[in-house]
Amino acid sequence: MDYSEYEPKGFKVKPMSTLGIRSIAVSVMPIILELAKVKEVKQINFEDFLERVLPLLGIELDVIPDNSTDDIGEKAPAAMVDSVLKVKDACYAGMNRRNPRDIFTLFHELGHYFLGHTRRYTRDELTKHKPYEDSECQANAFAGECLMPLEIIKAKNLKNVVEIHHEFGIVSFDAAWVRYKKLQRLGELS
């Protein structure tokens, strides 16, 4: 694949394949589901998850004002800083309301944590690198693997983006579309 036109979205991190990211997500999700006391991610009570489950995973929650730039930048709704999940008020409220974009943000940030990403630079210092070395691409892939597991997609024989979107419920149509296209590109959909 030609990556010469790729513009980095995040920081350069250790290269990781889709299968490597999937392996981490598949090993982490049973623990998350057990701690949340549910069978599927769409059943999670996110208020309980944020307040009770995150600390059990070794993550401190810090809800900050929407206008704060405290470690996360003006436009970012949330960021994982070491083992602290900093979440702006609006994003925190959206997670509790089960807003698909905010739920994806939560799992994206968990991706940074479980994939071992550490923030070292400002976005102004981004270097050229490939998508499989990009912290943001990896965290998005992790969120997709957690929120729309391939195992369920295959077991329920979901064949298109609409079926994926409806099955998982707490994902946006856009997230379902990206997941569908990626699985299609990888030849993992029948």
Side-chain angles (χ1 to χ4, degrees):
M1 188 173 278
D2 178 25
Y3 298 120
S4 62
E5 300 296 317
Y6 178 73
E7 283 297 320
K9 295 169 182 59
F11 308 110
K12 184 174 182 178
V13 294
K14 178 182 158 195
M16 190 170 289
S17 69
T18 298
L19 292 179
I21 294 167
R22 181 176 299 149
S23 174
I24 293 169
V26 165
S27 66
V28 165
M29 281 311 293
I31 297 165
I32 287 174
L33 295 174
E34 183 178 329
L35 291 172
K37 301 176 182 171
V38 297
K39 293 186 188 299
E40 296 179 289
V41 71
K42 66 184 177 183
Q43 299 169 329
I44 291 175
N45 171 326
F46 286 98
E47 184 173 6
D48 176 67
F49 185 85
L50 292 164
E51 301 296 336
R52 184 184 62 80
V53 176
L54 283 182
L56 297 174
L57 295 169
I59 299 170
E60 179 185 336
L61 177 65
D62 183 14
V63 181
I64 60 177
D66 288 333
N67 61 356
S68 176
T69 58
D70 179 30
D71 288 330
I72 72 171
E74 191 176 320
K75 294 183 182 180
M80 186 64 69
V81 181
D82 298 318
S83 61
V84 178
L85 176 60
K86 293 186 173 278
V87 181
K88 291 188 178 174
D89 283 324
C91 185
Y92 177 81
M95 290 173 187
N96 287 324
R97 286 192 317 272
R98 305 175 65 79
N99 177 295
R101 183 170 176 82
D102 296 317
I103 299 302
F104 193 90
T105 295
L106 171 62
F107 278 85
H108 171 98
E109 296 305 329
L110 290 175
H112 288 304
Y113 180 74
F114 287 111
L115 297 174
H117 298 164
T118 55
R119 295 172 55 122
R120 294 183 209 129
Y121 310 104
T122 65
R123 293 232 184 242
D124 296 339
E125 298 170 321
L126 291 179
T127 60
K128 269 300 219 191
H129 52 270
K130 310 286 189 252
Y132 55 84
E133 299 173 310
D134 191 290
S135 62
E136 293 302 295
C137 289
Q138 288 183 8
N140 282 341
F142 179 88
E145 294 290 344
C146 291
L147 294 171
M148 298 166 274
L150 180 60
E151 178 183 318
I152 294 174
I153 291 170
K154 285 185 170 184
K156 297 197 174 186
N157 198 25
L158 305 178
K159 295 187 185 299
N160 60 56
V161 67
V162 173
E163 290 177 355
I164 292 170
H165 179 249
H166 285 296
E167 172 60 31
F168 296 107
I170 59 169
V171 298
S172 69
F173 188 84
D174 288 343
W177 175 256
V178 169
R179 181 76 169 136
Y180 169 76
K181 293 305 282 183
K182 183 171 189 170
L183 293 174
Q184 192 178 49
R185 188 173 63 252
L186 295 171
E188 296 184 302
L189 292 177
S190 52

